């Protein structure tokens, strides 16, 4: 199966631009990175591919390139045509400079019939003479309609030897994790193994496919360890390349394979410059800054495995002498293959003072040297914990599998695996593992952690029935004064709608969580405060959790804490803070796919609330595959909420209402908290869709939650909802004035502007245009300050509908009658056909008839396009 072009959008755009403007480009990438697949998108006029067997044949590649063009030689001057015939096997021996000029002139001449693309693949295997001629021509294509693209492995352009110097180059970067996921889905690799393979392959598509093709049914089902080295043809390729090296170069390469990152000065103490040059020329190493690197963990492990035991011992001995500290100790331990309890203990002690990646490596080796089976398992379990905290879930899973096989404590293994699955795998699997851990752990703190994480796993999947069952078990067996007991008691009462009963245990959970001092407790304090309706308090707790995660040793908890900071920031209308939290969370959660999807859904929600439609759609589209595949109920519900906001922004209230009703019906799992938070959009959609009766019951639950917390930001939203539903203008105005005062108190600028926009529209419909204009002006200032351009357009349309000119001129819509222009302006404000009919004292059927004619006259297809046309007509004058 082809590796395809997953994740290569940037490279394809660069090639497309080159083919349109001419010039040259060198595409560099390790073996298997997909260079040939990228080149296949170029419609090549002429092409040639390097052949390793012909590297010593002077002009061999140029001969193959020129032979199909022999009939074009006569278009050149006689001397240059003669040079080309010589290379093509049709004449005498070529002159070096004359031949270069002739090839350049031939390519430029071909461009007289249209753009020319010359493709050179596997350029590292071209003979030197052909490469020099093509490089000469490539450097002189500026201003001509000729694009020349070379593709090569890194050894072609190594330092000190670059035959394509001065030609722009583009490194084929590693495939992003999401592209690797899509590729492995085609091979039907389950989520857990996908995470491991994605991590070890380093974004190399050929290596990913090689691994996927060789997986056994037991490996796919998780019953057998996953491969850690390449097999088949990819392994054979590296075996052949190793065989061509000198013995000294093989040992030096084994030094690099034995150490995750090797600095140049360190390697200089392990071997000579001749060996280093040999490895660079063979393309087995790359210099990155001051260090040397191999393409991926998979290639490193493969090369290490292919090295003989003698080479490995020599490499470790040299590294032990060249390094200091824990890494030197680690390499000293690897000079022996026999179990050594003393060395194992020394490595374990060194791990206490190392960073997470180093500690995982040290403990892994310590386990290998450990004689006692139980201690070996415990060290592997500790190594897995460090691997997880260093952002390596695939490595952590591999170490965990070995720990369990070595007899490590089953319950503690289940606790770690449950946390990994919760953040980066299947929440259903996490629920099973965490429930087992909670039941069998003897340490009270670990058992409490397992219970809390199990409850979160139930909630993220929308399994409230399972959550209530778990809560009942917890409250029956855990002291009510404990944090875990208080959170479960308050959470169960909240999800049952008994807010009065939930208040006391939730407040206790907040106090205990903040007093505990760890990240998880602060996150759960934020959840308790949010359930209370105290959104400001929840934001403070989430901020404390983020601070603790940044300063502490549990780096894997930072993305989780940032999810709650982003959600509470959105709840407080602090969209800049929310965006900062989601951007940091996305960067920190690249190895936590579920948390990454949560951050994407929250980023999409914030963009949708601001009316940034393009950003919201692209972000939500990126999150959707992972949400669907792993049944992530909470981010699914947040995405549905964001989708409803987009529907409202594009004047589709019925679609928004249907989407929110589906959310409320539990299609994404029973996400009661998200349903309640989305109440303002539900009410807005119900009113605009002329189905206000559908908002009553949900608004009642919303009001109860809002009153229990007393948050000014959400009390304002409650008042706005009641204003929208009020039939009497006086009653509506009272609610609007209350909402505006509360928005000011909360500092909620965006929602304040939205309330002013709703209020202004209500007054305008009652012909109080002077008062409405004041509100529209205030809303316009608020939207502009928030960067909400879409909603600013709505405020400007409201001002125009009130007779106020916005900009330098009035609206002109060529071809429309005065009444049609008036209807167009009212549509741009967001009014329904019935509202327009009441405003203009005509029937809804007449409005519908005029709209069809307006669409035909202006060539638009929807009310949204019409609104944009009205806005454009204003701004262009």
């Amino acid at each position: 199966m082809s590796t395809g072009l997953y994740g290569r959008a940037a490279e394809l755009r660069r090639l497309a631009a080159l083919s349109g403007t001419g010039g040259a480009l060198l595409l560099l990438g390790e073996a298997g990175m997909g260079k040939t697949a990228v080149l296949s998108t170029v419609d090549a006029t002429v092409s040639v591919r390097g052949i390793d067997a012909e590297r010593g044949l002077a002009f061999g590649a140029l001969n193959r390139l020129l032979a199909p063009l022999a009939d074009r030689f006569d278009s050149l001057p006689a001397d240059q045509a003669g040079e080309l015939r010589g290379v093509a096997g049709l004449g005498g021996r070529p002159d070096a400079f004359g031949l270069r000029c002739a090839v350049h002139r031939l390519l430029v001449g071909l461009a007289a019939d249209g753009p020319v693309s010359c493709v050179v693949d596997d350029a590292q295997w071209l003979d030197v003479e052909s490469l020099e001629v093509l490089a000469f021509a490539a450097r002189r294509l500026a201003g001509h309609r000729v694009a020349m693209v070379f593709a090569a492995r890194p050894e072609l352009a190594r330092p000190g030897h670059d035959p394509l110097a001065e030609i722009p180059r583009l490194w084929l970067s590693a495939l992003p994790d999401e592209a690797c996921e899509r590729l492995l889905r085609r091979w039907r690799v389950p989520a857990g193994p996908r995470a491991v393979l994605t991590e070890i392959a380093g974004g190399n598509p050929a290596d990913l496919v090689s691994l996927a093709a060789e997986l056994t049914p037991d490996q796919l089902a998780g019953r057998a360890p996953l491969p850690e080295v390449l097999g088949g043809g990819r392994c054979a390729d590296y075996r052949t390349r190793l065989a061509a090296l000198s013995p000294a170069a093989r040992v030096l390469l084994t030094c690099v394979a034995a150490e995750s990152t090797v600095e140049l000065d360190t390697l200089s103490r392990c071997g000579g410059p001749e060996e280093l040059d040999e490895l660079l020329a063979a393309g087995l190493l790359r210099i990155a800054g001051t260090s040397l690197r191999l393409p991926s963990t998979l290639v490193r492990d493969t090369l290490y495995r292919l090295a003989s035991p003698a080479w490995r011992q020599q490499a470790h001995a040299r590294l032990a002498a060249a390094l200091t500290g824990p890494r030197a100790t680690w390499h000293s331990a690897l000079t022996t293959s026999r179990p050594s309890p003393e060395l194992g203990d020394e490595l374990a002690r060194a791990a206490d003072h190392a960073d997470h990646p180093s500690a995982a490596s040290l403990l892994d080796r310590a386990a290998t040297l450990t004689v006692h089976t139980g201690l070996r398992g415990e060290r592997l379990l500790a190594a897995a914990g460090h691997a997880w905290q260093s952002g390596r879930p695939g490595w952590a899973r591999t170490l965990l599998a070995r720990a369990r096989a070595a007899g490590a404590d089953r319950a503690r293994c289940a606790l770690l695996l449950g946390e990994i699955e919760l953040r980066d795998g299947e929440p259903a699997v996490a629920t099973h593992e965490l429930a087992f851990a909670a039941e069998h752990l003897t340490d009270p703190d670990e058992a409490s952690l397992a219970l809390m994480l199990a409850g979160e796993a139930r909630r993220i999947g929308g399994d409230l029935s399972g959550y209530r069952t778990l809560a009942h078990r917890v409250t029956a067996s855990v002291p009510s004064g404990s944090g875990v007991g208080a959170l479960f008691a308050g959470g169960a009462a909240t999800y049952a709608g008994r807010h009065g009963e939930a208040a006391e245990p939730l407040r206790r959970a907040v106090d205990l969580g903040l007093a505990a001092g760890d990240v998880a407790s602060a996150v759960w304090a934020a959840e308790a405060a949010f359930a209370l309706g105290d959104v400001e308090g929840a934001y403070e707790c989430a901020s404390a959790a983020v601070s603790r995660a940044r300063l502490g040793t549990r780096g894997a908890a930072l993305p989780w804490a940032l999810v709650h900071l982003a959600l509470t920031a959105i709840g407080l209308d602090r969209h800049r803070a929310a965006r900062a939290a989601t951007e940091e969370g996305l960067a920190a959660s690249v190895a936590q796919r579920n948390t990454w999807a949560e951050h994407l859904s929250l980023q999409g929600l914030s963009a949708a609330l601001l009316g940034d439609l393009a950003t919201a759609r692209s972000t939500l589209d990126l999150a959707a595959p992972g949400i669907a595949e792993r049944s992530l109920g909470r981010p699914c519900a947040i995405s549905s909420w964001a989708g409803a906001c987009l529907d409202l922004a594009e004047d589709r209230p019925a679609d928004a209402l249907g989407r929110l009703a589906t959310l409320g019906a539990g299609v994404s799992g029973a996400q009661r908290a998200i349903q309640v938070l989305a109440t303002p959009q539900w009410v807005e959609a119900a009113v605009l869709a002329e189905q206000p009766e559908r908002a009553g019951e949900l608004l009642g639950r919303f009001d109860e939650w809002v009153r229990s917390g007393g948050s000014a930001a959400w009390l304002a939203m409650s008042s706005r909802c009641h204003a929208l539903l009020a039939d009497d203008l006086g009653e509506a105005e009272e609610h609007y004035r209350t909402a505006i005062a509360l928005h000011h108190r909360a500092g909620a600028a965006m929602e304040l502007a939205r309330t002013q926009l709703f209020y202004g529209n209500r007054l305008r419909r009652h012909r109080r245009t002077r008062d409405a204009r004041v509100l529209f002006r205030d809303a316009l200032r608020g939207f502009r300050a928030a960067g909400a351009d879409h909603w600013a357009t709505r405020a400007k349309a409201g001002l125009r509908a009130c007779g106020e000119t916005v900009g330098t001129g009035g609206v002109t819509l060529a071809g429309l009658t005065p009444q049609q222009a008036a209807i167009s302006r009212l549509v741009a404000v967001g009014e329904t056909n019935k509202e327009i009919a009441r405003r203009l004292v005509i029937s809804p059927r007449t409005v519908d008839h005029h709209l069809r004619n307006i669409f035909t006259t202006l060539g638009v297809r929807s009310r949204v396009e019409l609104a944009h046309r009205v806005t454009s007509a204003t701004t262009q004058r």
Side-chain angles (χ1 to χ4, degrees):
M1 185 180 293
S2 170
T3 57
L5 288 165
Y6 294 102
R8 296 299 185 206
E11 289 89 342
L12 296 179
R13 285 195 296 270
R14 182 82 174 265
L15 286 180
L18 181 69
S19 63
T21 60
L25 179 68
L26 170 59
L27 198 64
L28 286 168
E30 313 287 353
M33 288 298 288
K35 301 182 293 296
T36 300
V38 173
L39 288 185
S40 69
T41 64
V42 178
D43 186 12
T45 310
V46 289
S47 64
V48 67
R49 185 169 192 161
I51 300 174
D52 194 17
E54 291 191 1
R55 269 200 287 183
L57 181 61
F59 298 112
L62 199 58
N63 170 271
R64 289 185 285 116
L65 179 77
L66 294 176
L69 303 175
D71 61 336
R72 303 297 295 264
F73 293 173
D74 291 336
S75 64
L76 303 179
D79 58 335
Q80 293 186 353
E83 302 292 348
L84 296 181
R85 288 193 182 92
V87 172
L90 304 174
R93 185 171 181 80
D95 169 71
F97 185 74
L99 175 62
R100 287 164 168 74
C101 293
V103 170
H104 175 260
R105 185 158 184 173
L106 174 67
L107 293 173
V108 172
L110 290 174
D113 299 330
V116 170
S117 295
C118 179
V119 170
V120 183
D121 198 4
D122 284 330
Q124 74 279 355
W125 290 331
L126 260 64
D127 58 276
V128 174
E129 294 81 2
S130 295
L131 191 59
E132 288 176 347
V133 170
L134 292 173
F136 177 91
R139 296 186 193 103
R140 290 159 175 80
L141 294 178
H144 301 288
R145 294 192 301 170
V146 182
M148 186 178 291
V149 184
F150 298 86
R153 293 184 185 180
E155 58 262 36
L156 179 72
R158 66 185 188 274
H161 178 78
D162 189 352
L164 298 179
E166 305 302 320
I167 293 176
R169 56 206 59 209
L170 175 65
W171 277 96
L172 268 186
S173 58
L175 288 187
D177 286 353
E178 183 60 28
C180 293
E181 288 264 323
R182 293 202 306 275
L183 182 57
L184 290 173
R185 282 193 198 104
R186 292 184 62 188
W187 288 84
R188 295 179 173 82
V189 179
R194 279 206 309 270
V196 179
L197 299 185
T198 295
E199 182 178 317
I200 66 174
N204 186 304
D207 288 351
L208 277 173
V209 169
S210 174
L211 289 170
E214 296 179 6
L215 290 177
T216 67
D218 283 346
Q219 288 172 326
L220 287 169
R223 293 188 295 268
L226 291 169
E228 298 179 26
V229 296
L230 286 165
R234 296 284 294 141
C235 183
D237 175 54
Y238 280 107
R239 196 186 301 275
T240 302
R241 295 167 75 181
L242 280 175
L245 298 175
S246 67
R250 293 181 197 176
V251 174
L252 190 63
L253 181 62
T254 308
C255 288
V256 181
E259 180 69 11
S260 56
T261 302
V262 185
E263 295 295 320
L264 277 168
D265 61 344
T266 300
L267 200 68
S268 68
R269 296 193 291 273
C270 297
E274 297 83 5
E275 290 82 18
L276 178 58
D277 286 343
E278 186 179 352
L279 294 175
L280 292 171
L284 290 164
L285 284 183
R286 256 183 64 196
I287 295 178
T290 61
S291 64
L292 288 154
R293 65 178 291 269
L294 289 163
S296 67
T297 303
L298 184 64
V299 171
R300 187 176 73 234
D301 291 346
T302 300
L303 291 173
Y304 185 81
R305 193 73 59 87
L306 290 173
S308 69
W311 298 349
R312 294 181 201 168
Q313 288 196 352
Q314 286 186 57
H316 288 299
R318 293 183 187 184
L319 287 166
L323 296 167
T324 58
R327 298 304 296 171
T329 306
W330 185 77
H331 286 291
S332 293
L334 283 163
T335 58
T336 177
S337 58
R338 296 188 302 273
S340 172
E342 295 78 12
L343 270 176
D345 293 343
E346 185 179 350
L347 288 173
R349 286 192 296 271
D352 292 337
H353 309 289
D355 58 22
H356 286 302
S358 298
S361 295
L362 290 165
L363 287 165
D364 184 9
R365 182 57 186 164
T368 304
L369 297 171
T370 301
V371 177
H372 188 275
T373 303
L375 181 57
R376 186 186 313 133
E378 291 305 305
R379 283 174 172 170
L380 285 168
L381 175 57
H386 284 292
W388 168 239
Q389 294 301 328
S390 66
R392 300 277 302 278
W395 188 19
R397 284 184 171 98
T398 301
L399 290 167
L400 260 179
R402 291 171 54 200
R404 292 167 78 162
D409 184 282
R410 173 72 177 85
R412 292 178 59 215
C413 287
L415 174 59
L416 179 56
L417 181 58
E419 182 180 355
I420 294 172
E421 290 292 331
L422 176 60
R423 309 289 176 222
D424 185 60
E426 305 285 352
V429 175
T431 299
H432 169 77
E433 294 291 334
L434 293 167
F436 178 89
E439 186 173 348
H440 293 89
L441 283 166
T442 56
D443 182 284
D445 291 337
E446 289 183 334
S448 295
L449 176 62
L451 285 170
M452 296 289 231
L453 291 174
E456 184 180 353
R458 293 285 190 189
R459 293 196 305 276
I460 197 173
D463 181 10
L464 292 190
S465 175
Y467 180 83
R468 285 192 292 269
T469 301
L470 181 62
H472 179 74
R473 198 180 90 199
V474 169
T475 52
S477 60
V478 176
S480 59
S482 67
V484 62
L487 185 63
F488 271 105
T494 297
Y495 290 127
R498 303 191 303 271
H499 293 285
E501 181 184 328
E504 192 276 329
L506 287 174
R507 290 193 186 96
R508 189 164 64 251
V510 172
D511 294 339
L512 291 171
L514 285 177
D518 61 292
V519 179
S521 296
V523 169
W524 289 317
E527 288 190 348
F530 214 121
L532 276 168
D534 181 9
V535 187
E536 287 89 349
Y539 184 80
E540 291 178 10
C541 293
S543 299
V546 169
S547 177
R548 293 175 186 181
R550 287 171 177 159
L551 297 173
T553 59
R554 290 185 57 82
L558 177 60
W560 174 43
L562 286 164
V563 164
H564 292 271
L565 184 63
L567 178 60
T568 51
I570 291 172
L572 291 171
D573 197 23
R574 299 173 186 172
H575 291 282
R576 288 187 175 88
R579 183 164 187 85
T582 56
E583 286 178 347
E584 183 181 358
L586 288 170
S589 63
V590 290
Q592 298 183 25
R593 292 166 296 168
N594 298 347
T595 314
W596 185 75
E598 290 217 69
H599 278 293
L600 283 174
S601 65
L602 288 167
Q603 193 171 88
L605 173 62
S606 179
L609 287 166
L610 287 169
D612 185 353
L613 311 186
T615 298
R617 283 198 193 90
S618 62
T619 304
L620 295 173
D621 287 346
L622 192 58
I627 289 174
E629 183 186 24
R630 295 188 291 279
S631 300
L632 305 179
R634 188 166 61 202
C636 179
I638 292 171
S639 296
S640 294
W641 180 11
C645 294
L646 292 176
D647 289 333
L648 289 169
E650 295 184 308
D651 195 27
R652 296 193 303 270
D655 291 345
L657 192 59
R659 195 187 299 269
L660 291 168
T662 302
L663 166 62
V667 170
S668 60
Q671 298 294 334
R672 298 280 176 78
I674 306 303
Q675 182 185 2
V676 170
L677 291 173
T679 299
Q681 284 72 40
W682 181 290
V683 171
E684 181 184 344
V687 170
L688 292 175
E690 301 180 351
Q691 301 176 52
E693 68 283 354
R694 296 184 62 180
E697 181 182 350
L698 184 60
L699 182 56
R701 292 201 298 270
F702 178 72
D703 286 342
E704 185 178 358
W705 174 72
V706 166
R707 286 193 296 269
S708 70
S711 168
W714 287 90
L715 286 167
M717 301 293 276
S718 173
S719 294
R720 186 173 84 194
C721 288
H722 285 282
L724 285 168
L725 289 168
D727 292 325
D728 179 69
L729 178 61
E731 180 187 352
E733 285 197 90
E734 184 178 345
H735 286 303
Y736 276 128
R737 284 193 291 267
T738 300
I740 287 171
L742 288 165
H743 283 311
H744 279 296
R745 196 171 87 195
M750 176 66 190
E751 293 303 335
L752 168 62
R754 290 263 291 156
T755 297
Q756 290 165 333
L757 180 64
F758 286 130
Y759 191 7
N761 279 328
R762 185 69 179 262
L763 293 179
R764 184 183 53 75
R765 286 196 295 271
H766 285 81
R767 292 181 167 78
R768 288 174 52 184
T769 55
R770 182 177 299 176
D771 295 334
R773 278 198 295 268
V774 174
L775 289 162
F776 286 135
R777 288 191 207 104
D778 290 343
L780 180 58
R781 281 192 293 270
F783 289 136
R784 283 174 170 166
D789 295 338
H790 177 86
W791 294 109
T793 299
R794 291 285 185 92
K796 286 189 284 187
L799 280 170
R800 287 193 297 272
C802 288
E804 180 167 321
T805 299
V806 182
T808 59
V811 178
T812 60
L813 296 168
L816 298 187
T817 67
Q819 189 167 58
Q820 287 174 341
I823 290 172
S824 299
R825 286 192 290 270
L826 293 172
V827 167
V829 178
E831 291 201 354
T832 66
N833 285 7
K834 287 186 178 180
E835 290 170 337
I836 294 170
R838 287 196 298 268
R839 178 78 171 86
L840 299 179
V841 198
I842 56 179
S843 72
R845 183 173 297 179
T846 301
V847 175
D848 185 64
H849 171 75
H850 280 306
L851 275 175
R852 285 197 298 270
N853 290 335
I854 291 168
F855 286 2
T856 301
T857 301
L858 297 181
V860 298
R861 295 172 294 176
S862 69
R863 299 170 78 92
V864 174
E865 288 188 23
L866 177 58
H868 287 315
R869 179 65 65 86
V870 172
T871 304
S872 299
T874 302
T875 56
Q876 289 170 3
R877 284 184 58 83

